Amino acid sequence: KRKQTLSYRGQRPSLHERDSQRSRLYAAERVGLFSMDQKRFTDKVEMQQYLDKLTSSAWWERRYGTRWKVELRFISHVRGAWSYGGRRGHIKLRSKMEWDGTPGLPIALLCHEIAHNVVHAQFGYYVAGHGRQFCKVYLEIVRHVMGDEAWRCLKDAMVERRVKHTLPRTLSPEAKAAAAERLAKVRAAATSSS
């Protein structure tokens, strides 16, 4: 038997949400986090030990429901980027331990990549890479790891650049019915007054 294949014209359809706010988030990070003085890792072993301590902490278990081991992998090139945290349990970083010409990788970069791991574990791979879910988790991790000042700076920069960082509200069936009733009353009043 011959396998049946689908043919696509143009770009293949994606099952993932569009990552529409990535550039705005990166801009918010540059202003809100990476411009701050922060801990830098110059040693790969120290970075892995810090990550192990964080992901096995009681805070981590309370927040994300489970503890898991995240392995840092250092390679010469990471998809044209500095880092990639796309698969649960792995974070890939460039082997060169410097950031913007300064020795050491900032802790904010590690927070960013850990957030990718958490989002994939909680929501699966079909959410936007830097969407609402990612930004919510990222802010939680930044607040725990870097403190309230860093959290506030990043959150303010996100708000200023219109980065969506809260999950959308979901209404209960009763609340939806009440909202539909209110809308019907407003529409009825608008048509009777015209």
Side-chain angles (χ1 to χ4, degrees), residues 18-47:
R18 190 166 163 245
D19 196 4
S20 59
Q21 62 180 20
R22 180 177 59 183
S23 60
R24 292 193 309 263
L25 174 68
Y26 287 173
E29 283 180 319
R30 276 192 301 278
V31 170
L33 273 188
F34 289 114
S35 60
M36 297 178 70
D37 284 336
Q38 59 187 279
K39 177 177 177 55
R40 289 180 171 270
F41 295 101
T42 54
D43 179 43
K44 297 171 184 178
V45 174
E46 175 196 12
M47 196 173 197

Side-chain angles (χ1 to χ4, degrees), residues 82-100:
W82 274 96
S83 55
Y84 176 70
R87 206 174 103 211
R88 181 178 172 173
H90 300 281
I91 294 175
K92 295 180 182 177
L93 298 166
R94 283 194 181 176
S95 54
K96 195 173 187 182
M97 296 290 287
E98 69 174 41
W99 179 264
D100 289 342

Side-chain angles (χ1 to χ4, degrees), residues 17 123 131-133 136 164-171:
E17 283 183 17
F123 301 101
R132 291 173 182 264
Q133 297 89 346
K136 178 185 176 294
K164 296 173 183 158
H165 60 280
T166 57
L167 298 180
R169 291 188 316 160
T170 55
L171 297 176

Side-chain angles (χ1 to χ4, degrees), residues 15-172:
L15 297 174
H16 300 276
E17 283 183 17
R18 190 166 163 245
D19 196 4
S20 59
Q21 62 180 20
R22 180 177 59 183
S23 60
R24 292 193 309 263
L25 174 68
Y26 287 173
E29 283 180 319
R30 276 192 301 278
V31 170
L33 273 188
F34 289 114
S35 60
M36 297 178 70
D37 284 336
Q38 59 187 279
K39 177 177 177 55
R40 289 180 171 270
F41 295 101
T42 54
D43 179 43
K44 297 171 184 178
V45 174
E46 175 196 12
M47 196 173 197
Q48 182 67 59
Q49 288 172 343
Y50 184 87
L51 184 58
D52 292 344
K53 184 178 174 185
L54 176 66
T55 57
S56 64
S57 68
W59 173 84
W60 184 273
E61 189 171 5
R62 277 192 316 274
R63 202 70 173 174
Y64 304 116
T66 184
R67 298 176 187 195
W68 67 78
K69 172 96 172 134
V70 178
E71 180 187 343
L72 292 174
R73 293 185 178 174
F74 294 91
I75 57 179
S76 59
H77 183 70
V78 185
R79 292 182 169 197
W82 274 96
S83 55
Y84 176 70
R87 206 174 103 211
R88 181 178 172 173
H90 300 281
I91 294 175
K92 295 180 182 177
L93 298 166
R94 283 194 181 176
S95 54
K96 195 173 187 182
M97 296 290 287
E98 69 174 41
W99 179 264
D100 289 342
T102 308
L105 293 176
I107 197 165
L109 177 69
L110 189 60
C111 292
H112 181 109
E113 299 310 331
I114 293 168
H116 280 299
N117 270 266
V118 172
V119 167
H120 292 317
Q122 287 187 335
F123 301 101
Y125 288 93
Y126 302 110
V127 296
H130 298 91
R132 291 173 182 264
Q133 297 89 346
F134 172 81
C135 292
K136 178 185 176 294
V137 170
Y138 186 28
L139 283 168
E140 290 171 358
I141 293 172
V142 164
R143 188 175 212 172
H144 177 73
V145 170
M146 298 178 68
D148 287 339
E149 182 185 351
W151 171 79
R152 173 58 56 202
C153 288
L154 180 59
K155 186 174 180 183
D156 289 347
M158 284 180 173
V159 168
E160 186 178 311
R161 283 156 186 78
R162 299 185 327 272
V163 175
K164 296 173 183 158
H165 60 280
T166 57
L167 298 180
R169 291 188 316 160
T170 55
L171 297 176
S172 67

